[in-house]
Amino acid sequence: AQSGQAKNLWSVGDKTPIAINGKVGALTINGTYYAIILGFDHNSSVEGGNSLHFQIRKDANGKDIAFVDREYLDTGSPAAFRMHTSNNNSGGWNNSYMRKTICPAFLAALPADWQNIIVACTKYSDNTGGGNDTASKVTSTQDKIWLLSEFEVQGKRTYANSAEQNYQKQYDYYKNGNSKIKYKHNDTGSACIWWLRSVQATPSYFFCGVATDGSASIYSANFSLGFAPGFKVA
């Protein structure tokens, strides 16, 4: 990645195994899962060049997965895969429970060699929330582990702040037509809804997600849904 030669060695969609071991929210993850290459030098003018962007996407059998916990589609324990512990999107991605608690726990569950090469990535998102589609709400954060945005997956805006796409690009993996559907990591016969970091521009209590058929959708912030983190190596 640092030499700029990664794209000459691998292709978008190639995968690499990672042994994950640790408690992430309400879920203890202990197994080998595969990170797939989402893109090379993705959105380099904003997010930096000479880099590889990954998403945890597959299990050992090659099934597309997201992590789900015992609270899936529920609002019980605050430790679960929620955007917020209460039903609001105030503070947007920046101040979300997902960003501040779940994502750091996932980083800590990765092997040390991966932790050492994952670098902070500049990501733009609506970091205010609160129910208005206002361009000034879209600002940057520095994240080692993050969720994808609506535009990065779908390539169009449906529910997110309309200004997010000014700073984002669709990942090549999804632009190439690969499936957006993910299945429960512990029940790969069942598709699951998975979270995105974009807030719904209006009203004030939803975040964006990807529905079980791969389409754009929105969900209450305090529901536990599928967790499919991304990260950058550079």
Side-chain angles (χ1 to χ4, degrees):
Q2 291 176 351
S3 70
Q5 294 301 309
K7 58 183 172 291
N8 298 322
L9 300 172
W10 302 296
S11 300
V12 170
D14 283 352
K15 62 185 187 294
T16 184
I18 303 179
I20 305 171
N21 187 7
K23 190 169 185 180
V24 184
L27 179 69
T28 297
I29 304 174
N30 185 7
T32 297
Y33 294 91
Y34 285 78
I36 59 99
I37 297 174
L38 292 174
F40 301 94
D41 304 328
H42 174 76
N43 199 15
S44 59
S45 63
V46 174
E47 301 180 24
N50 288 6
S51 63
L52 279 166
H53 286 231
F54 289 93
Q55 185 183 28
I56 298 294
R57 174 96 196 168
K58 295 182 181 291
D59 66 8
N61 296 316
K63 191 75 171 182
D64 292 332
I65 60 97
F67 297 110
V68 297
D69 54 40
R70 64 180 181 271
E71 303 289 345
Y72 178 73
L73 291 184
D74 201 356
T75 61
S77 165
F81 293 145
R82 314 181 191 289
M83 298 306 295
H84 278 302
T85 55
S86 58
N87 189 20
N88 69 85
N89 62 26
S90 178
W93 165 247
N94 182 43
N95 288 317
S96 67
Y97 173 80
M98 177 66 71
R99 178 175 183 265
K100 290 182 173 292
T101 301
I102 299 298
C103 289
F106 182 80
L107 179 65
L110 297 179
D113 55 349
W114 277 94
Q115 292 186 44
N116 291 337
I117 60 173
I118 292 172
V119 299
C121 183
T122 300
K123 286 292 185 181
Y124 277 82
S125 321
D126 184 324
N127 287 315
T128 303
N132 294 304
D133 186 14
T134 305
S136 61
K137 292 183 176 183
V138 178
T139 57
S140 66
T141 54
Q142 294 290 315
D143 299 299
K144 286 193 171 184
I145 303 293
W146 25 263
L147 301 187
L148 277 62
S149 71
E150 182 183 65
F151 191 82
E152 287 171 341
V153 174
Q154 304 291 354
K156 62 180 181 180
R157 182 260 181 179
T158 302
Y159 301 105
N161 187 308
S162 58
E164 279 194 351
Q165 61 191 297
N166 297 337
Y167 306 93
Q168 299 173 352
K169 290 185 178 180
Q170 185 181 23
Y171 275 107
D172 287 339
Y173 179 82
Y174 292 108
K175 189 175 182 179
N176 292 347
N178 288 294
S179 176
K180 302 175 180 73
I181 299 172
K182 294 181 181 291
Y183 296 84
K184 296 178 180 179
H185 81 284
N186 56 3
D187 178 11
T188 55
S190 299
C192 66
I193 303 161
W194 50 287
W195 277 126
L196 302 174
R197 73 176 187 273
S198 302
V199 304
Q200 184 191 12
T202 57
S204 61
Y205 40 86
F206 289 154
F207 274 80
C208 295
V210 179
T212 54
D213 63 359
S215 63
S217 195
I218 48 171
Y219 302 94
S220 296
N222 59 341
F223 268 67
S224 179
L225 302 178
F227 174 62
F231 54 88
K232 180 177 104 170
V233 168

